[in-house]
Amino acid sequence: MFSSSGTRVSGFRGDTIGSALYASGQRIFSRSFKYHRPRGLYCCAGHCPNCLMTVDGVPNVRVCVEPVREGAVVEAQNVWGSLDRDLLSITDRIGGPFTPVGFYYRTMIRPRRLWPLYEKALRNLAGLGRVAEDGAPHGRYDVEHRRARVLVIGGGRSGRAAALAAATLGPGVVLVDEDARLGATELEGVDVLAPACALGVWEGNLVPVDAGHVLYRFRAERIVVATGALDQPLLFPGNDLVGVLLPNACRRLVSDFAVKPGDRAVVVAADDDALEVADDLREAGVVVPRVVDIRQAQPRELAAEGRKGRVKRLLVDGEAVDCDLVVASAGRQPSYSLLAQAGARVEYDAARGVFVPTDLPAGIEAVGSVTGEGCSSIALPAQAGKAKCFVCVCEDVTTKDVSRAIAEGFDSIELAKRYTTVTMGPCQGKLCQLASIRLYAQTTGTGEAALGTTTARPPWTPVELGLLAGRHFEPARRTSIHFRHEEEGAKIMWAGPWKRPYAYGETPEDEVRAVHESLGVIDVSTLGKLLVEGPEAAELLERLYPNRFSDLKPGRIRYGVLTSDGGRIMDDGTIARLTDDLYYVTTTSTGADSVTAWFEWWNAVWGYEAEIVNVTGALAAVNLAGPRAREALERLTEDDLSAEAFRYLDARRIEVAGVPCLALRIGFVGELGYELHFPSPAGEHLWDRLVEEGARPFGLEPQRVLRLEKAHIIVGQDTDSESNLLSAGMPWLPKMDKEDFVGKLALEHFAEREEREKLVGFVMEENTLPAEGAQVVIEGFPAGRVTSARRSEAVGSVIGLVWVPPDRAEDGTRFEIRVDRRLVGARVTSGSFFDPAGERMRS
Amino acid sequence: MSVLGFLSPSRCEPGTITSPLRHALGRVGWSAYLGDPEQVRDLSLEGIVEIRGDLDRVSTLEGEELVRLSPRRGFLFTAGDAPDVAERVRAEGVLAYDASGALAGMAIANEAVMPRLTDLDLSQVPTAGPFARVWALFRRGEDGEYLIYVQQELGHYVAEAVLDALAGLEGWA
């Protein structure tokens, strides 16, 4: 049992929701896309939009192929009122003259400001089901990668035979079919996947298969397409009335679901297979007063008439035949789309009146009806009538719409597709492609072969967006100390690919104060860390960096900035020389991979005997900073940390709390500091010991305040892709007397020409904090931008870094910054804002 | 301490090192969630040595496996002490670095979960390539399980992705 619009409905095992509803007497399943016309079962194969309903909150479910299930809740969609009484069906009665094809391109464009209103109205009046307001996924979606020696798409007679034949040659045969009943079929040596639908064929024989909540991405050595043929609708007035069915829809209702489709039926068809449906109907107890073989009869007049949207009679050349069922078909067209996507040519076979695939690419085969075997189709002469005649039931495109499009100059099938949207609905041309091409051919006098088809594109069948998206993956890098930060209540933020602590309390100022007055510790494991080793390591670094490293003594550290070959700043960090042949390089937290690639690329060009090894993950790193740093660290090590033995910019290997460390005496935050680099697995242990010694954890935000007090730049924040060492205030860094380094030529050019802007520090005249990116205004004109700004308790002002014109870069020069729509004065300050002599970090 | 001793977890005092996967795999409830907690085992902190240079020069001892990523780069998995092994290998004319702390490792017994996380042809293991959208190194264990190694900083994320994929196979939402 399940419910449909509040009514309890019973079904049998093997039923679809559509067949159960039909058996219960329901005939109207949906309202059409644009005109809200009543629509009933039409194809019973999941191709057309006529049975789209919302099931258990999931919109646009094709209930004709959706297996019935206990407790399902089925509701109508795109309806104001009920399926029987849809208030929006008024658009069908009076909206026609106002809603011709492409009306939204012409009639709702003025005044332009009202477009949002028009759009809202259109979206409410037209469309399909609604996605849940909360955006919650309808269950879990997974993607699974599979390989197959032979992938057979389509489980009809030909497909099954092909799969079994392939299985005799070895394992790795998979058969995919939409029909759930095939899932229970045993085919020896064949892995049957059903219900499942191939969505397309991509390069490399990649075939994504929709299996409900799992998207299988098949890579197949060979693909066999056995997708069969599709019943094609006939174009006649009233051809969308409820009760007009395609032959195989009737056959499925009778044979598969034991449902009597109607009481009196007329069969109008163009091939023997479809005409035989009359026999099936008679066997099911349906009266069939008239069978029309349009190959012989070629009726000049064919029209269906109805009441309340349901067919009541069929007019055939002046004869009215009362009926509640019209089985109508123009023949069968090969379902070639997947072959076309794979690269096959599609040609029109004039003798049979169908498009057939030819010139199949290597590794792709076709069997059965999809090759054109047993397929033929003919067109009716153009039919006159008052009722609408639909070419495309998905998009509510009528023959009149197509004629109008042609009259307006959209005379190619590709243009017509875009203008009329024919073939762009849920059926993706399965039911309207041939019909629209025929209509174009008839109207323009151009042959079908010359018109050709529209481009076949995936997906071949509707697919849920959740399935395409698959499972959500969000690779997050976490340091080995990460969970200590969480336990200590840190507010975690994304910093590039890393998860890092923003601060540990509500007030980052406390953490800043702790570093200045006592002791702080920050996790800097995210820094990129490279080993550069080899007899020519020094030569390699000498050419990579603008400054000098060959004269760096073992045990000493030097700051380095990498520039591109265009002389722009790329990254920065420290370089410690551990031995004559071994350097330890740090990069920015987001720069490790790009710097590694940069080093390796240049080394491949130059061919130095040096290896570059990225050890970022292998090592954790913490920066212990503050006036108490030395005494705290001394309690955890037996090594000599005195200012004489371990000088500023020294690199030493020491053991701290039982952990071997590379200790670097550097000071990004401007206080006496030791940056300890050690095996990642010891991260929590060493962190705990440092905190036990009184170090207060501080996060990224306090670190940004501290480094700004020292006017230390952050590459990527204070610099951009145009910044160079000269304009960024580091003319002392490049050693232009070196024979060569990356970016030297560009820097020489920069030195020769007039600078356009300079990076300087500033102090605000009042306690107002400008936004990062705030505009610098000089004499009423924009003249620069703020890159960093923070309130500094230690400095007693709002401080920051800013790009200004060179003539405004002198110490003390006044300029204005736009803050909240007003201009606030600021003055240039050169050098560090705090401890300008650097005595504290050198102490 | 040797020049590169600061790379080696095995040079830390006992009790000072922990696995990067302990939070993901040790989470209360996961074992019940999976039914069989042995579906994923933590291999982190195994001895691993990254080798640079002519790999043909490198000799392997019993219990060691050399996985070649390129002719001049590979990982040597060892049951021995990684820094000692690195030193031994260096003596053979290549550069070698203790990478035991660099990679998080896990053994995955449930073969069905693998195609949900990688599109690699797993008949070619050992190999390297994408796993849960990050770079990984793949080996096979003695019992046929897959041994996956990723950068340790991504270990927690990858372990969660594996557990989540296993949950999907078990029918959990």
Side-chain angles (χ1 to χ4, degrees), chain A residues 332-602:
Chain A
R332 295 169 75 230
Q333 158 69 49
S335 180
Y336 60 76
S337 184
L338 294 177
L339 291 167
Q341 287 176 31
R345 280 164 54 94
V346 178
E347 291 180 350
Y348 187 67
D349 181 338
R352 288 185 287 173
V354 292
F355 286 92
V356 291
T358 62
D359 295 344
L360 302 186
I364 308 282
E365 291 168 62
V367 295
S369 303
V370 73
T371 61
E373 177 189 311
C375 293
S376 66
S377 172
I378 64 170
L380 280 176
Q383 303 291 316
K386 285 184 180 176
K388 289 186 173 83
C389 174
F390 286 89
V391 185
C392 172
V393 289
C394 296
E395 301 280 291
D396 269 355
V397 180
T398 64
T399 52
K400 199 173 169 183
D401 289 329
V402 171
S403 301
R404 186 167 181 153
I406 294 169
E408 289 180 19
F410 296 94
D411 54 1
S412 89
I413 197 70
E414 285 286 4
L415 283 177
K417 170 183 169 178
R418 285 152 180 80
Y419 189 58
T420 65
T421 69
V422 68
T423 77
M424 290 170 71
C427 93
Q428 286 290 288
K430 291 184 181 76
L431 303 179
C432 53
Q433 168 110 291
L434 182 62
S436 59
I437 293 168
R438 281 250 166 79
L439 187 57
Y440 253 72
Q442 283 178 350
T443 310
T444 63
T446 312
E448 286 89 341
L451 279 169
T453 63
T454 55
T455 305
R457 292 189 176 89
W460 171 230
T461 60
V463 57
E464 290 184 46
L465 290 174
L467 188 67
L468 288 181
R471 201 70 183 151
H472 183 59
F473 288 96
E474 192 174 48
R477 292 174 190 262
R478 293 175 174 85
T479 73
S480 62
I481 314 169
H482 176 86
F483 292 98
R484 281 290 186 270
H485 306 320
E486 286 193 354
E487 288 159 12
E488 285 160 3
K491 183 178 171 186
I492 303 293
M493 62 179 279
W494 281 100
W498 293 91
K499 292 272 199 177
R500 299 192 69 183
Y502 170 82
Y504 294 81
E506 290 300 315
T507 52
E509 293 83 359
D510 291 346
E511 294 166 32
V512 173
R513 206 175 302 125
V515 175
H516 279 319
E517 295 174 1
S518 176
L519 185 61
V521 62
I522 182 171
D523 179 0
V524 291
S525 307
T526 58
L527 288 171
K529 310 172 201 82
L530 313 181
L531 290 171
V532 181
E533 184 174 15
E536 294 181 312
E539 285 85 343
L540 174 64
L541 294 174
E542 191 79 356
R543 283 185 80 175
L544 282 167
Y545 284 89
N547 50 336
R548 214 179 294 284
F549 288 99
S550 57
D551 64 351
L552 186 66
K553 291 187 168 49
R556 292 292 288 165
I557 303 167
R558 192 167 286 164
Y559 175 65
V561 180
L562 279 172
T563 53
S564 67
D565 35 7
R568 269 68 174 193
I569 294 172
M570 283 176 57
D571 203 273
D572 71 345
T574 58
I575 295 90
R577 192 169 196 170
L578 304 186
T579 67
D580 285 343
D581 297 343
L582 178 62
Y583 288 82
Y584 183 71
V585 177
T586 65
T587 74
T588 58
S589 291
T590 52
D593 292 339
S594 57
V595 170
T596 304
W598 182 251
F599 279 21
E600 286 176 344
W601 191 86
W602 280 110

Side-chain angles (χ1 to χ4, degrees), chain B residues 59-128:
Chain B
S59 58
T60 55
L61 305 180
E62 193 178 337
E64 292 181 348
E65 182 185 4
L66 177 61
V67 177
R68 294 164 184 260
L69 301 183
S70 75
R72 293 184 57 83
R73 187 182 177 208
F75 284 96
L76 181 65
F77 291 83
T78 176
D81 182 58
D84 287 350
V85 172
E87 201 170 323
R88 184 196 89 212
V89 173
R90 276 182 175 249
E92 294 174 330
V94 294
L95 295 178
Y97 307 89
D98 184 353
S100 309
L103 300 177
M106 61 198 87
I108 299 174
N110 189 334
E111 210 165 302
V113 81
M114 298 302 287
R116 297 238 166 149
L117 295 163
T118 182
D119 61 352
L120 287 181
D121 179 359
L122 294 174
S123 65
Q124 304 297 318
V125 169
T127 187

